Amino acid sequence: MASIAQIEHFVSVEDLSNEQVLLLLKRAFAFKQGIKWQPPKKQIFTANLFFENSTRTHNSFYIAERKLGMDVLEFDAQTSSLQKGETLYDTALTLSALGVDIMVIRSGVERYWKELIQSSTIKCHVINGGDGSGQHPSQCLLDLMTIQEEFGEFAGLKVAIVGDLVHSRVARSNMQMLKRFGAKLFFSGPAEWYDQEFDAYGEYLPLDELVGKIDILIMLRVQHERHDGSQSFSKADYHRLYGLTKKRAERLKKHAIIMHPAPVNRDVEIADALVESAKSRIVEQMINGVYARMAILEAVISE
Amino acid sequence: MASIAQIEHFVSVEDLSNEQVLLLLKRAFAFKQGIKWQPPKKQIFTANLFFENSTRTHNSFYIAERKLGMDVLEFDAQTSSLQKGETLYDTALTLSALGVDIMVIRSGVERYWKELIQSSTIKCHVINGGDGSGQHPSQCLLDLMTIQEEFGEFAGLKVAIVGDLVHSRVARSNMQMLKRFGAKLFFSGPAEWYDQEFDAYGEYLPLDELVGKIDILIMLRVQHERHDGSQSFSKADYHRLYGLTKKRAERLKKHAIIMHPAPVNRDVEIADALVESAKSRIVEQMINGVYARMAILEAVISE
Amino acid sequence: MASIAQIEHFVSVEDLSNEQVLLLLKRAFAFKQGIKWQPPKKQIFTANLFFENSTRTHNSFYIAERKLGMDVLEFDAQTSSLQKGETLYDTALTLSALGVDIMVIRSGVERYWKELIQSSTIKCHVINGGDGSGQHPSQCLLDLMTIQEEFGEFAGLKVAIVGDLVHSRVARSNMQMLKRFGAKLFFSGPAEWYDQEFDAYGEYLPLDELVGKIDILIMLRVQHERHDGSQSFSKADYHRLYGLTKKRAERLKKHAIIMHPAPVNRDVEIADALVESAKSRIVEQMINGVYARMAILEAVISE
């Protein structure tokens, strides 16, 4: 088991060493190639607690858990004692006492996991399925996997992340990790969704200057649910100004790929016809997500 | 495996050959008799997506899936990215990418499945658990099973379908299939819930003329949720005019049976005391539903 | 299997003999010690129907069911035909027809189970997960288990139950059972939440007179959801007057333990810092709940 990253809690890419990330990727590819997993003799219980809407991350973890032969408790916030005022801490304390080994949590509260992993009463491993506008480390791992699958390595790759940067936990996790692995980063999108702190990771440029020179274009979803309605552009305007139109896509390099964490707003961030096109890796990202999450689950349970 | 119908998508009775239907029925009876199923070595993932309320169909599929040893992903529309505006198409595309083999879908949108089965990116088998006022093919199969179990064959049987015909996907699927297999059809119920198109399948008569001469009486549920409130009769009036009252039931032939897709509005379509009476096959229909759905699931996974 | 209590329906502590309770406790401890269960060859289907919010009871049953290798159908009331007006009786009738062996039900309706267990059409075993302000027999069993684990026996133990007695099904089940096993009961809390009927079970005293002389202190949750808002004390007032403050806790006997069915209103019934303190058995109660429920499930399926 020397080749398995042993990680107590998988909550933020900031906590991961490069070696751990590379081990996780290696195992994710092994799972994709169909390597069999020797499940532990003990029955493993995973609880999925998704307090924000999710299709991909939630179901991807579910399938990964079941592929590893784990038992899955789908926690339903709407019919739980959270409705009687119980806190996330006490909910986690309960699930831990009931025998849950791993909790996969998505919450709108940034760094919600802090008090959970500091508790000596809560024994569960915590996997972060996204925290507010904070981190989305499992998405980052599947993005790295998709890039590594395509290009073999990260160093020197030119990657543009475009769109709703300030609200995107995907952008945050990815820029930290890609920079560490030697990629060259660029940003684009509306100025009001860009923050000076991103200058530390890459260069902010107009999309039309970028499309012709990058290897990987990561388009971000316009997160209507995190905006207060004050944004000033229509869908058509956004598409024309900051979206990947068919015209812009024609200027992409021959080997360049298009990525998007999805769900996609078709014809907003990206033209409808490009979503399932030859350059798109959006479906492949979802496929890889299951294997990346199998690697994460294995890593925490091996700890 | 020559005796198993191989069906890519099970979406409408119109697409099924008579031979396929008879093979499905044969397997359903085999499952009911306790024949063991040799599950494929590969782990099979089924996703249940019910966008309309359901107790019988939903849980019946769930139990059928588990009896076949399949893994079940219960898709929760209320906490999914559908809430962020994602379409059914993109949801299905996601589940397909995650490795789901079969999707069982109920939707209020008629023929929702069309774009799903035409997509070259979506690889899942689609099973229709009911589409608006369109089709309900798995209910049709369990109804055929219940009739075959009782009478051995279909040809020459006199079947009345009574009630809310125009809103009923059950009626639509059943009249097509029963006519094909040689049954003689009759209809009854409020004139405003009858459509001339049904003339092609059978004869519209007052209920009191029908009860004494038919072999099978299929009472339909008054679907309050599909009406706009303009209907002019109270529950008591409906029961008196179009329902199976205890008095009418006394005039049924000795061997005649009562069916209903349920949920039943007791004392509306049918008198309370008749629901669990000797002539009623309503509970048997639910029992058969599990085996009929096992046959359907087996047929699509064998394709 | 002589040592397994055989119980058709587990709905109220009133229906249990002392012998059955002791057998259940014995099996619960055996499960806790890791004894392997020989699952029946037949696939067992359990349906969980929780019509009131629950974290502990619901998930505890789920994990117990899965530990026993049972298949679990999580019934979702919000997307079921209950929304079309179907009754609990007809829902149970349906689940029974579909092949469900055990139904675990929580409902706000007291004695909801009566018509279910009297039906000759419904074949399921019913386990009561709490009915209104009626009974909570599985909580009672886990409380007995926690007490027996601590003190070995019940006779002569001094137990105080404190707080919202009149709304508490936990209190009702526990006072009946503890008295039968020879414990000496005391009650405390607001006078408006005490009922004369409890005089038959024990003595009503001010909390400050009780804390120094009892062995077990069971604090009850203030059930905001069952009150009409007319109560006259703030959280701080309640804590000061009727709660287990840190000051009161200092007066507990050395070997005394604190119990609470949870969810806990921290700093209302009990000081925040006491919840996970050395004298608290609140986490142990949750741990024991899984094993107590395994014993209950085994007992009904062995019937």
Side-chain angles (χ1 to χ4, degrees):
Chain A
M1 302 277 278
S3 64
I4 294 169
Q6 291 174 31
I7 297 169
E8 188 175 3
H9 303 290
F10 185 87
V11 293
S12 168
V13 298
E14 293 167 12
D15 300 338
L16 298 171
S17 70
N18 286 10
E19 196 201 348
Q20 284 176 319
V21 173
L22 294 173
L23 278 174
L24 285 168
L25 288 171
K26 205 172 163 186
R27 287 299 288 173
F29 283 113
F31 284 125
K32 190 169 184 179
Q33 283 147 27
I35 266 188
K36 287 274 172 279
W37 188 68
Q38 200 61 270
K41 294 240 167 60
K42 181 180 166 296
Q43 194 175 18
I44 306 283
F45 280 91
T46 305
N48 296 334
L49 299 90
F50 278 72
F51 301 112
E52 289 194 324
N53 296 325
S54 168
T55 288
R56 262 150 297 276
T57 308
H58 189 167
N59 293 306
S60 180
F61 266 113
Y62 177 80
I63 288 180
E65 289 153 0
R66 292 298 304 138
K67 282 195 179 226
L68 293 176
M70 296 173 174
D71 260 277
V72 186
L73 186 161
E74 288 290 346
F75 185 83
D76 184 349
Q78 289 313 309
T79 60
S80 76
S81 291
L82 291 164
Q83 304 300 323
K84 305 179 191 169
E86 191 162 34
T87 59
L88 175 60
Y89 178 88
D90 279 336
T91 300
L93 182 63
T94 300
L95 294 175
S96 171
L98 298 184
V100 166
D101 301 286
I102 302 172
M103 291 188 294
V104 180
I105 306 177
R106 168 171 289 188
S107 163
V109 181
E110 272 171 56
R111 302 183 71 78
Y112 66 82
W113 67 77
K114 216 180 151 197
E115 57 172 358
L116 308 186
I117 67 180
Q118 283 172 350
S119 165
S120 61
T121 324
I122 299 174
K123 313 287 188 196
C124 306
H125 300 280
V126 178
I127 295 176
N128 180 16
D131 62 304
S133 297
Q135 287 271 333
H136 196 345
S138 69
Q139 177 74 39
C140 180
L141 192 70
L142 76 89
D143 286 345
L144 292 180
M145 187 183 171
T146 307
I147 292 171
Q148 197 181 33
E149 193 170 41
E150 190 75 28
F151 296 99
E153 53 185 351
F154 304 101
L157 287 177
K158 291 180 183 154
V159 185
I161 309 180
V162 178
D164 195 352
L165 289 152
V166 83
H167 296 97
S168 173
R169 47 198 178 205
V170 176
R172 204 169 302 269
S173 294
N174 278 359
M175 69 180 76
Q176 291 173 10
M177 198 50 80
L178 285 166
K179 185 178 157 72
R180 265 167 59 177
F181 281 106
K184 187 162 166 52
L185 283 160
F186 300 92
F187 304 110
S188 195
E192 53 267 58
W193 291 345
Y194 185 77
D195 192 292
Q196 303 290 14
E197 63 166 312
F198 304 145
D199 288 354
Y201 298 95
E203 195 179 350
Y204 178 59
L205 288 173
L207 186 53
D208 287 317
E209 282 189 38
L210 281 175
V211 284
K213 68 176 177 190
I214 44 88
D215 304 299
I216 297 152
L217 183 58
I218 302 178
M219 304 304 295
L220 300 175
R221 196 171 75 85
V222 177
Q223 304 198 58
H224 305 294
E225 70 276 16
R226 295 197 201 277
H227 297 144
D228 55 7
S230 64
Q231 76 218 65
S232 52
F233 21 73
S234 68
K235 289 177 178 190
D237 280 351
Y238 187 91
H239 189 56
R240 187 173 46 81
L241 292 167
Y242 309 109
L244 184 62
T245 59
K246 280 200 265 188
K247 203 154 183 177
R248 285 194 182 105
E250 284 166 14
R251 294 182 43 224
L252 285 166
K253 287 202 271 189
K254 198 180 163 189
H255 68 266
I257 61 170
I258 305 163
M259 293 171 64
H260 189 301
V264 171
N265 297 304
R266 287 172 184 254
D267 286 331
V268 182
E269 303 99 54
I270 179 171
D272 180 26
L274 296 174
V275 174
E276 296 165 63
S277 68
K279 279 189 153 39
S280 166
R281 292 297 172 274
I282 298 175
V283 172
E284 205 63 30
Q285 284 174 279
M286 299 193 280
I287 292 171
N288 288 340
V290 172
Y291 303 108
R293 282 157 184 138
M294 287 174 79
I296 295 164
L297 289 159
E298 182 192 45
V300 299
I301 211 63
S302 301
E303 197 269 336
Chain B
M1 302 276 277
S3 64
I4 294 169
Q6 291 175 30
I7 298 169
E8 188 175 1
H9 303 291
F10 185 87
V11 292
S12 167
V13 298
E14 294 167 10
D15 301 338
L16 298 172
S17 70
N18 286 11
E19 196 202 348
Q20 284 176 320
V21 173
L22 294 173
L23 279 175
L24 285 167
L25 288 171
K26 205 172 162 187
R27 288 299 290 173
F29 283 113
F31 284 126
K32 190 168 184 179
Q33 282 147 28
I35 266 188
K36 287 274 173 280
W37 189 67
Q38 200 59 271
K41 296 239 167 60
K42 180 180 166 296
Q43 195 176 19
I44 306 284
F45 279 92
T46 304
N48 296 334
L49 298 90
F50 279 72
F51 302 112
E52 289 194 323
N53 297 326
S54 168
T55 289
R56 261 149 297 277
T57 307
H58 189 167
N59 293 307
S60 181
F61 267 113
Y62 176 81
I63 288 180
E65 290 153 0
R66 291 298 304 139
K67 282 195 179 227
L68 293 175
M70 296 173 173
D71 261 277
V72 186
L73 184 161
E74 288 290 344
F75 185 82
D76 184 349
Q78 290 314 307
T79 60
S80 76
S81 291
L82 291 165
Q83 304 300 323
K84 304 179 190 168
E86 190 162 35
T87 60
L88 175 59
Y89 179 88
D90 279 337
T91 300
L93 182 62
T94 300
L95 293 176
S96 172
L98 298 185
V100 166
D101 301 287
I102 301 172
M103 291 189 293
V104 180
I105 307 178
R106 168 171 290 189
S107 163
V109 180
E110 273 172 55
R111 303 184 70 77
Y112 67 82
W113 68 77
K114 217 180 150 196
E115 58 173 355
L116 307 186
I117 67 181
Q118 284 171 350
S119 165
S120 60
T121 324
I122 298 174
K123 313 287 189 194
C124 306
H125 300 280
V126 178
I127 294 176
N128 180 15
D131 62 304
S133 297
Q135 287 271 333
H136 196 345
S138 69
Q139 177 74 38
C140 180
L141 192 70
L142 76 89
D143 286 345
L144 291 180
M145 187 183 171
T146 306
I147 292 170
Q148 197 181 34
E149 192 170 41
E150 191 75 28
F151 297 99
E153 53 184 351
F154 303 102
L157 287 176
K158 290 180 183 154
V159 185
I161 310 180
V162 178
D164 195 353
L165 290 151
V166 83
H167 296 96
S168 173
R169 48 197 177 207
V170 177
R172 204 169 302 268
S173 294
N174 279 0
M175 69 179 76
Q176 291 173 12
M177 198 50 81
L178 285 167
K179 186 178 155 72
R180 265 166 60 177
F181 281 106
K184 189 165 165 48
L185 283 161
F186 301 91
F187 304 111
S188 195
E192 53 266 58
W193 290 346
Y194 185 77
D195 192 292
Q196 303 289 14
E197 64 165 311
F198 303 145
D199 287 353
Y201 298 96
E203 197 179 348
Y204 179 58
L205 289 172
L207 186 53
D208 287 318
E209 283 188 37
L210 281 175
V211 284
K213 67 176 179 190
I214 44 88
D215 305 300
I216 296 152
L217 184 57
I218 302 179
M219 304 303 296
L220 300 174
R221 196 170 76 85
V222 178
Q223 303 198 57
H224 307 293
E225 70 276 16
R226 296 196 199 279
H227 298 144
D228 55 8
S230 63
Q231 78 217 63
S232 51
F233 21 74
S234 69
K235 289 178 178 187
D237 281 349
Y238 187 91
H239 189 57
R240 186 174 46 82
L241 292 167
Y242 310 109
L244 185 62
T245 59
K246 280 201 265 190
K247 204 155 182 179
R248 283 193 183 106
E250 284 166 15
R251 294 182 45 225
L252 284 167
K253 286 202 273 188
K254 199 180 163 190
H255 67 267
I257 61 169
I258 305 163
M259 293 171 63
H260 190 301
V264 172
N265 297 305
R266 288 171 184 255
D267 286 331
V268 182
E269 304 100 53
I270 179 170
D272 180 26
L274 296 173
V275 174
E276 295 165 64
S277 68
K279 279 189 153 36
S280 166
R281 293 296 172 276
I282 298 175
V283 171
E284 204 63 31
Q285 285 174 276
M286 299 192 281
I287 292 171
N288 288 339
V290 172
Y291 303 108
R293 283 159 183 137
M294 288 174 79
I296 295 165
L297 288 159
E298 181 193 44
V300 300
I301 211 64
S302 301
E303 197 270 336
Chain C
M1 302 276 278
S3 65
I4 294 169
Q6 292 175 30
I7 297 169
E8 187 175 1
H9 304 291
F10 185 87
V11 292
S12 167
V13 298
E14 293 167 11
D15 301 338
L16 298 172
S17 70
N18 286 11
E19 196 202 348
Q20 285 177 320
V21 173
L22 293 173
L23 279 174
L24 285 167
L25 288 170
K26 205 172 163 187
R27 287 298 289 174
F29 282 113
F31 284 125
K32 189 168 183 178
Q33 282 146 29
I35 265 188
K36 286 275 172 278
W37 188 68
Q38 200 59 271
K41 295 240 166 62
K42 183 180 166 294
Q43 196 175 17
I44 305 283
F45 280 92
T46 304
N48 296 334
L49 298 90
F50 279 72
F51 301 112
E52 288 194 323
N53 296 327
S54 169
T55 288
R56 262 151 296 278
T57 307
H58 188 167
N59 293 307
S60 180
F61 267 113
Y62 177 81
I63 288 179
E65 290 153 0
R66 292 298 304 139
K67 282 195 178 225
L68 293 176
M70 295 173 174
D71 260 277
V72 186
L73 185 160
E74 288 291 343
F75 185 82
D76 184 349
Q78 290 313 308
T79 60
S80 76
S81 291
L82 292 164
Q83 304 301 322
K84 305 178 190 169
E86 191 162 35
T87 60
L88 175 59
Y89 178 88
D90 280 336
T91 300
L93 183 62
T94 299
L95 294 175
S96 171
L98 298 184
V100 166
D101 301 287
I102 302 171
M103 291 188 295
V104 180
I105 307 178
R106 168 171 290 189
S107 163
V109 181
E110 273 172 56
R111 302 183 71 76
Y112 66 81
W113 68 77
K114 216 180 150 195
E115 56 172 358
L116 307 186
I117 67 179
Q118 283 172 350
S119 165
S120 60
T121 324
I122 298 174
K123 314 287 189 196
C124 306
H125 301 280
V126 178
I127 295 175
N128 180 16
D131 61 304
S133 296
Q135 287 271 332
H136 196 345
S138 69
Q139 177 74 39
C140 179
L141 193 70
L142 77 89
D143 286 345
L144 291 180
M145 187 183 170
T146 306
I147 291 170
Q148 197 180 34
E149 193 171 40
E150 191 75 27
F151 297 99
E153 53 186 350
F154 304 101
L157 288 177
K158 291 181 183 152
V159 185
I161 310 180
V162 179
D164 195 352
L165 290 152
V166 84
H167 296 97
S168 172
R169 47 198 177 206
V170 177
R172 203 169 303 269
S173 295
N174 278 1
M175 69 181 76
Q176 290 174 13
M177 198 52 80
L178 285 167
K179 186 179 157 72
R180 265 166 58 179
F181 281 106
K184 189 165 168 46
L185 283 160
F186 301 92
F187 303 110
S188 195
E192 53 267 57
W193 291 346
Y194 184 78
D195 191 291
Q196 302 290 15
E197 65 166 311
F198 303 144
D199 287 354
Y201 298 95
E203 197 180 349
Y204 179 59
L205 288 173
L207 187 52
D208 287 317
E209 283 188 38
L210 281 174
V211 285
K213 67 177 177 189
I214 45 89
D215 305 299
I216 297 152
L217 183 57
I218 302 179
M219 303 304 295
L220 300 174
R221 195 171 76 84
V222 178
Q223 303 198 57
H224 306 294
E225 70 277 16
R226 296 195 201 278
H227 298 145
D228 55 7
S230 63
Q231 75 217 67
S232 51
F233 22 73
S234 69
K235 289 177 178 189
D237 281 350
Y238 187 91
H239 189 57
R240 186 173 46 81
L241 292 167
Y242 310 109
L244 185 62
T245 58
K246 280 200 266 188
K247 203 155 184 178
R248 285 195 183 104
E250 284 166 14
R251 295 182 44 225
L252 285 167
K253 286 202 271 188
K254 198 180 165 190
H255 68 267
I257 61 170
I258 306 163
M259 293 171 64
H260 190 300
V264 171
N265 297 304
R266 287 170 184 257
D267 285 331
V268 183
E269 303 99 53
I270 179 171
D272 180 26
L274 296 174
V275 175
E276 295 165 62
S277 68
K279 277 188 154 36
S280 166
R281 293 297 172 275
I282 299 175
V283 172
E284 204 63 31
Q285 284 174 278
M286 298 193 281
I287 292 171
N288 288 340
V290 173
Y291 302 108
R293 283 159 184 137
M294 288 174 79
I296 295 165
L297 289 158
E298 182 193 43
V300 299
I301 212 64
S302 301
E303 198 270 338

